[in-house]
Amino acid sequence: MSVINLEYLFNPKSVAVVGTTNDTTNPGNIVMKNLMGGGFSGPVMPVSSGAEAISGVLTYKDVDELPKTPDLAIVANPLDEVPGILESLKKRGTRAAVLVGSGFSRMAPGERDEFRKTVRGIAKSPDMRVLGPKSLGFMVPSLNLYASLSHARAGSGKLAFISQSDSLFATVVDWAGDKGLGFSHLVALGARLDVTFADIIDYLGTDPMTRAIMIYVESIHDAREFMSAARAASRNKPVLVLRPGRALDFLPACSLDQGPCIPGLTGEIYDVAFRRAGMLRVETIDELFDAARTVSTPRNVKGRRLAILTNGASAGVMAADRLLEGGGELAELSEETRKALDALPGGRSADVNPVGLPFNADGNTYAEAIKALVKDKGVDAVLVMHVPWAAQPEVEVAEAVAKSLKRVKKLVLTAWLGSGNADDARAVFAQTGIPTYESLSQAVRAFLHMADYRLSQELLMETPDSLPTDFFPDTTTARSVVEKALSEGRDELSEPEAKDVLAAYGIPVVETRLAISAKDAVIAADELGYPVAVKVRSPQISQPFNVGGVLLDLETPERVWEGAASLLARVNRERPDAYIEGFTVQKMGRRPGAHELFVSAESDPVFGPVLRFGHGGMAREVVQDSALALPPLSMTLAREAVKRTRISHLLSGTPTQPPADIEDICLTLIQLSQLLIDVPQIRTLDINPLYADNEGVLALGAKVFLEAYDGSGQGRLAIRPYPRELEECVVTRDGRKVTLRPIRPEDEGTHRVFLERLSDEDLRMRFFGVVRRDFDHKDLARFTQIDYDREMAFIATAPDENGDPETLGVMRTNTRPDNSEAEFAIVVRSDQKGNGLGSLLFHKGIEYTRQRGTAELTGQTLAVNKAMQGLSKKFGFVISPDPDDPDVVDMTLDLTGEN
């Protein structure tokens, strides 16, 4: 993954179109017309073996004849000719190519793999970046660069669109043209031989001309890269995603995009991944653009409680219906708000939500009602609707509403229904930046998008520990059980072994014994204590309940003896093909009234380990109530997963049943999440039933299947957890004990104090100028909520005189996606300088980047900052003047050990 040389793709100074002809259906001919018709300012050089000129431009017979090296080449030749052409372009120094020629879809899977290998070998990415094959190309309207096969050209704007589908790329261009929407970039990825979603999301995430990123995705191939890029971009701007639902679950992953065929879990895992990445998923193209417009507004929404204000009662009821159907809530108005609304003209019904105004309510009445609603702390947002009536001054009302919202920070959406004058009213809101919609459904959906987006942003900020702070599992025991089974050639743990593994991770389990015969079953029952349950064991019978192979509440040795014999007879009748290995004897877990849950785990080939939680017991397959969770987990993420199940309502308690211990349920999910990380040889896991009540949880049944795995457990995860293993304690020159560790989201408060205690000179040296001191939550979130896969911030922290933690200094590194270079910045509080803390932080950051294989560590400082230059020289950095700024010097350290 890399953004290197993507500027030659999206901002080239010259373009060559290779393989073009005068055949109007030839891809090269179409691209030439689009480039020339779009008004691209740089030279466009057609390469054609047969035509003298294309679109009025003289051609060149081959790449070697080109008068200058093109930054970008659009290659329209059939794919069997592409390797030779890329070889020629590479020798000329071309840095980017787009493959629009035909033939990829007709290749057999083996041929595609060979083509990928050949092209990648030639391009040696990132030396040359390759978009496609099977791509419609891309557009950068602000540069008049239309390097695509599209039949239409998009206008310039602040939205970006990345599509895995060529057909949707073309559809969106048409759709946006009708709506008058513009783009910063439109990209059709094609088969993603080199340039991927992650690459372009990275590029657009820092592009100042892009306000929001929209993507259409069917499948991804590298979850860690995708999630890392999406999470980084989502911290800067909205990222919205459109993905088809159930239909894709019945198709091979390679059937549409012609990429590597990786079968995986259902599309449900994409929902979970999108939420964890801070992205907002939508269902249609209309929603995609509506949501992009809505979530880009500077006004935020803190919850799902909406107040609806309207001059049409039926419209208000319909809007409320849409709201409740979509999972929103009707805000309950405070007594103060009701009194203010009752005082309005015709306000006899205005104290109920939806708030009804007279059909002929004027602008002042609307403004006063809005004033009351936005003050109410129980209202998260307000939807103002207007139904047209004869002789009603719609535009005047809209102007009054817009004027009343000038200083309002709370989200207010408007829906002026109808056409004619309503169009002019909506134009008033559009000009003043107030979200406005043509229908009540659009407006309510926009509010729900805002609420969903807020939730996704909250989940984005959750960065779980690599190990929970109050959780100390017996990892050695768990690993030894698994390794013993694998060494014996087994791919499944016995039930007692499975429960030993669970118990090692703090999960309460019912004691279990294995028995070969009825006699052994009686002995096991005596050891466990009565009453007991007895189940048959057979590799051919996954669920003994289904064949009558289970007996419960056996209270005497005689009943165990007789029960074992009867089980054998019954199972032999039901499944004569099954080989009976013996019995499982289990102490009865008596938890009257407990809920039966289940937790299972499996490994998706793309996203890695996945947990599933839901309604368990015998009715599990019938009820079909479950939710996926993507490790690593925190308590917040675990609660969110539990809340997505229907049984969560019962877990909250009923008139006859106390609430279950939700904290213990969530802790169980975290413990299992950590187990999957620590013991990656666990292929699948299933606990059913998992009893849950007000006393906590108890695992009754457990199955664990294994497979050999030599890699790191964390390496399987789509999201890197907080790297607790990087924490260390040091001692400064004055003898103070200090902890150096990666920064956490919960450090926001102490980091605010740290920044406030920096001197003006400290801030000037760190930020190269005068900066404001009123850092807001968004600034602090950007500092403390980082992606540990590509960004790192080590803080020095120690208790102050009151025993409370304080931050003394910070060392940051920001690594390029391809790990070729990391940029650093370091700052230490003035009152902490001189005790070696800067050196300790600097050494920590250098060793971290060196250990992760980064090639080069670089930084900049002001030329007058001699202390920073001296410190960097101490660690072997090369100091050189910045060629573009005489007031700045560059600091560079080669981490490869070659110099």
Side-chain angles (χ1 to χ4, degrees):
M1 176 172 58
S2 174
V3 297
I4 295 177
N5 286 337
L6 285 185
E7 70 271 19
Y8 292 99
L9 181 67
F10 296 126
N11 189 14
K13 301 300 184 286
S14 57
V15 180
V17 182
V18 185
T20 180
T21 72
N22 277 315
D23 179 357
T24 57
T25 63
N26 171 264
N29 185 279
I30 297 171
V31 172
M32 275 296 298
K33 288 180 179 178
N34 285 333
L35 285 169
M36 301 307 295
F40 177 63
S41 59
V44 178
M45 301 170 286
V47 176
S48 176
S49 60
E52 184 178 352
I54 307 290
S55 297
V57 181
L58 292 175
T59 65
Y60 303 88
K61 288 189 176 181
D62 55 41
V63 170
D64 294 335
E65 285 194 6
L66 291 173
K68 67 177 297 179
T69 298
D71 289 340
L72 167 66
I74 315 295
V75 183
N77 298 69
L79 294 191
D80 58 348
E81 301 175 13
V82 163
I85 294 169
L86 291 182
E87 285 271 19
S88 300
L89 289 166
K90 182 74 181 298
K91 288 178 181 177
R92 288 294 304 263
T94 298
R95 300 296 184 88
V98 182
L99 308 184
V100 298
S102 61
F104 195 73
S105 300
R106 296 189 297 273
M107 288 182 178
E111 292 177 310
R112 290 186 200 138
D113 292 341
E114 187 61 31
F115 179 78
R116 287 190 185 94
K117 182 178 179 180
T118 300
V119 170
R120 286 170 178 164
I122 296 168
K124 290 184 173 58
S125 179
D127 291 352
M128 175 188 278
R129 305 312 306 269
V130 179
L131 179 64
K134 196 178 175 289
S135 170
L136 274 189
F138 68 94
M139 302 182 191
V140 185
S142 62
L143 301 178
N144 296 319
L145 177 59
Y146 296 93
S148 82
L149 300 178
S150 175
H151 63 290
R153 293 193 291 270
S156 183
K158 296 288 188 178
L159 301 177
F161 180 59
I162 312 168
S163 179
Q164 189 175 341
S165 162
D166 287 344
S167 58
L168 196 66
F169 176 92
T171 301
V172 164
V173 172
D174 267 355
W175 191 98
D178 291 341
K179 299 288 184 179
L181 296 173
F183 297 88
S184 64
H185 299 75
L186 295 100
V187 185
L189 279 175
R192 295 173 287 172
L193 181 149
D194 169 36
V195 177
T196 65
F197 276 115
D199 297 326
I200 300 179
I201 290 172
D202 267 324
Y203 182 85
L204 297 174
T206 57
D207 177 40
M209 301 304 294
T210 300
R211 185 179 63 195
I213 302 170
M214 306 180 297
I215 68 175
Y216 171 80
V217 59
E218 289 163 359
S219 64
I220 63 173
H221 302 152
D222 191 314
R224 176 67 72 88
E225 288 185 359
F226 178 85
M227 295 294 286
S228 185
R231 286 166 66 84
S234 293
R235 288 185 169 96
N236 295 327
K237 60 193 67 174
V239 181
L240 303 100
V241 57
L242 171 62
R243 183 180 187 273
R246 296 180 180 178
L248 283 180
D249 297 340
F250 297 96
L251 296 171
C254 59
S255 60
L256 295 177
D257 74 336
Q258 310 297 329
C261 196
I262 307 176
L265 300 177
T266 65
E268 187 180 356
I269 194 171
Y270 281 91
D271 274 333
V272 177
F274 294 153
R275 280 195 295 271
R276 287 290 296 275
M279 305 164 80
L280 175 63
R281 182 175 182 176
V282 298
E283 302 296 329
T284 66
I285 297 177
D286 285 331
E287 278 190 67
L288 187 65
F289 284 91
D290 282 347
R293 180 175 53 180
T294 304
V295 300
S296 297
T297 178
R299 296 178 176 88
N300 295 319
V301 60
K302 295 182 178 180
R304 306 183 78 84
R305 301 169 299 179
L306 180 68
I308 301 171
L309 177 67
T310 179
N311 67 335
S314 297
V317 171
M318 292 173 65
D321 192 49
R322 299 287 191 280
L323 175 71
L324 297 174
E325 283 180 357
E329 302 173 28
L330 282 168
E332 186 173 338
L333 306 182
S334 68
E335 185 64 28
E336 182 182 355
T337 301
R338 293 179 182 182
K339 288 180 180 179
L341 293 172
D342 283 340
L344 296 175
R348 59 185 182 279
S349 63
D351 60 349
V352 179
N353 188 16
V355 178
L357 296 178
F359 71 90
N360 59 348
D362 60 16
N364 183 62
T365 303
Y366 264 96
E368 289 299 314
I370 293 170
K371 181 180 177 181
L373 291 172
V374 296
K375 286 182 179 179
D376 196 323
K377 294 182 179 179
V379 174
D380 295 317
V382 179
L383 169 58
V384 183
M385 297 198 307
H386 186 276
V387 177
W389 294 90
Q392 181 72 4
E394 296 183 45
V395 176
E396 293 179 21
V397 174
E399 290 172 343
V401 169
K403 184 178 179 180
S404 72
L405 295 177
K406 280 187 177 180
R407 291 182 176 83
V408 173
K409 294 183 178 180
K410 188 169 288 186
L411 177 66
V412 178
L413 308 98
T414 62
W416 250 238
L417 309 183
S419 56
N421 290 336
D423 291 335
D424 297 332
R426 288 191 291 268
V428 170
F429 295 125
Q431 290 167 6
T432 52
I434 299 169
T436 186
Y437 304 91
E438 297 178 4
S439 71
L440 58 90
S441 295
Q442 276 184 309
V444 171
R445 188 174 64 195
F447 167 71
L448 293 174
H449 282 151
M450 287 291 289
D452 290 341
Y453 180 65
R454 177 192 62 84
L455 174 61
S456 70
Q457 288 292 295
E458 289 177 357
L459 296 181
L460 169 66
M461 302 314 176
E462 284 291 322
T463 308
D465 282 356
S466 54
L467 194 68
T469 53
D470 55 352
F471 172 43
F472 303 98
D474 184 358
T475 303
T476 301
T477 295
R479 285 176 176 163
S480 65
V481 171
V482 169
E483 288 167 0
K484 179 176 180 291
L486 287 172
S487 68
E488 294 172 357
R490 292 187 286 131
D491 64 355
E492 180 181 5
L493 296 182
S494 66
E495 189 163 346
E497 288 175 326
K499 288 178 177 175
D500 286 345
V501 170
L502 297 181
Y505 272 71
I507 299 168
V509 298
V510 173
E511 288 187 80
T512 303
R513 299 281 192 277
L514 297 183
I516 297 175
S517 64
K519 179 182 177 181
D520 289 339
V522 172
I523 295 172
D526 289 340
E527 292 175 351
L528 292 170
Y530 295 92
V532 298
V534 177
K535 299 185 287 185
V536 295
R537 287 192 301 121
S538 170
Q540 287 79 37
I541 301 174
S542 61
Q543 181 51 269
F545 285 101
N546 296 338
V547 294
V550 179
L551 288 176
L552 305 175
D553 284 310
L554 303 179
E555 297 181 339
T556 65
E558 292 77 18
R559 294 212 41 201
V560 172
W561 180 275
E562 295 167 358
S566 67
L567 285 181
L568 280 177
R570 185 183 307 153
V571 173
N572 281 329
R573 287 196 306 270
E574 294 289 330
R575 290 290 303 274
D577 62 309
Y579 170 69
I580 308 301
E581 294 178 334
F583 306 94
T584 300
V585 184
Q586 190 176 80
K587 187 172 178 61
M588 286 297 298
R590 292 195 179 277
R591 301 287 283 268
H595 299 280
E596 290 189 333
L597 309 174
F598 84 90
V599 183
S600 66
E602 57 188 308
S603 185
D604 182 80
V606 175
F607 288 93
V610 178
L611 285 173
R612 187 180 290 276
F613 165 85
H615 193 145
M618 292 292 292
R620 169 177 168 179
E621 299 302 325
V622 177
V623 175
Q624 292 286 304
D625 174 29
S626 67
L628 282 181
L630 199 61
L633 295 179
S634 64
M635 289 299 284
T636 299
L637 293 168
R639 285 192 200 97
E640 189 271 338
V642 171
K643 190 176 181 180
R644 282 188 276 119
T645 61
R646 298 191 301 275
I647 200 172
S648 63
H649 301 293
L650 293 176
L651 296 174
S652 300
T654 68
T656 60
Q657 196 172 19
D661 189 339
I662 301 295
E663 295 292 304
D664 207 27
I665 294 171
C666 293
L667 179 59
T668 300
L669 293 177
I670 293 174
Q671 291 166 329
L672 289 173
S673 169
Q674 190 61 44
L675 173 61
L676 296 174
I677 297 170
D678 292 342
V679 190
Q681 293 81 8
I682 294 177
R683 175 167 54 89
T684 62
L685 177 151
D686 190 73
I687 302 175
N688 186 35
L690 176 72
Y691 280 172
D693 56 18
N694 59 324
E695 296 181 8
V697 301
L698 179 66
L700 269 69
K703 291 184 177 183
V704 175
F705 290 88
L706 313 172
E707 67 180 3
Y709 186 84
D710 296 327
S712 161
Q714 288 194 23
R716 299 196 304 163
L717 302 179
I719 300 172
R720 184 178 180 182
Y722 171 81
R724 197 168 165 192
E725 64 276 7
L726 295 177
E727 296 180 352
E728 68 171 305
C729 293
V730 297
V731 179
T732 60
R733 288 176 191 155
D734 58 4
R736 188 176 188 183
K737 294 181 179 179
V738 175
T739 299
L740 303 183
R741 63 167 174 83
I743 202 165
R744 302 170 182 261
E746 55 263 36
D747 290 320
E748 180 174 325
T750 55
H751 209 70
R752 180 190 297 276
V753 175
F754 166 71
L755 292 170
E756 290 171 351
R757 294 187 65 177
L758 291 176
S759 67
D760 291 340
E761 184 68 4
D762 289 335
L763 289 171
R764 187 175 79 86
M765 293 298 178
R766 168 64 179 85
F767 296 102
F768 290 18
V770 178
V771 297
R772 60 182 178 83
R773 286 185 168 274
D774 56 331
F775 293 103
D776 58 19
H777 168 69
K778 189 174 181 180
D779 295 323
L780 292 165
R782 189 171 66 252
F783 294 147
T784 60
Q785 297 166 0
I786 64 174
D787 185 313
Y788 300 108
D789 197 50
R790 60 172 66 184
E791 189 178 1
M792 183 55 68
F794 290 109
I795 62 169
T797 179
D800 61 14
E801 60 272 12
N802 299 318
D804 298 322
E806 64 173 345
T807 299
L808 312 175
V810 60
M811 164 76 176
R812 294 183 179 274
T813 63
N814 198 309
T815 308
R816 282 190 173 189
D818 64 352
N819 205 27
S820 63
E821 179 186 333
E823 185 177 358
F824 79 88
I826 185 171
V827 62
V828 176
R829 266 175 26 196
S830 294
D831 61 338
Q832 299 297 317
K833 293 178 180 177
N835 61 7
L837 188 58
S839 293
L840 290 169
L841 279 168
F842 212 170
H843 178 265
K844 181 76 172 176
I846 291 170
E847 288 307 303
Y848 164 75
T849 50
R850 193 192 307 275
Q851 289 171 12
R852 65 170 283 154
T854 308
E856 191 174 67
L857 185 61
T858 65
Q860 288 187 323
T861 190
L862 292 175
V864 297
N865 192 350
K866 301 301 182 183
M868 184 67 246
Q869 294 173 51
L871 183 61
S872 64
K873 285 181 180 177
K874 171 184 171 182
F875 285 100
F877 281 77
V878 175
I879 311 298
S880 59
D882 187 278
D884 300 320
D885 189 342
D887 296 328
V888 173
V889 297
D890 296 328
M891 300 169 286
T892 305
L893 177 65
D894 181 2
L895 297 171
T896 63
E898 295 176 358
N899 294 334

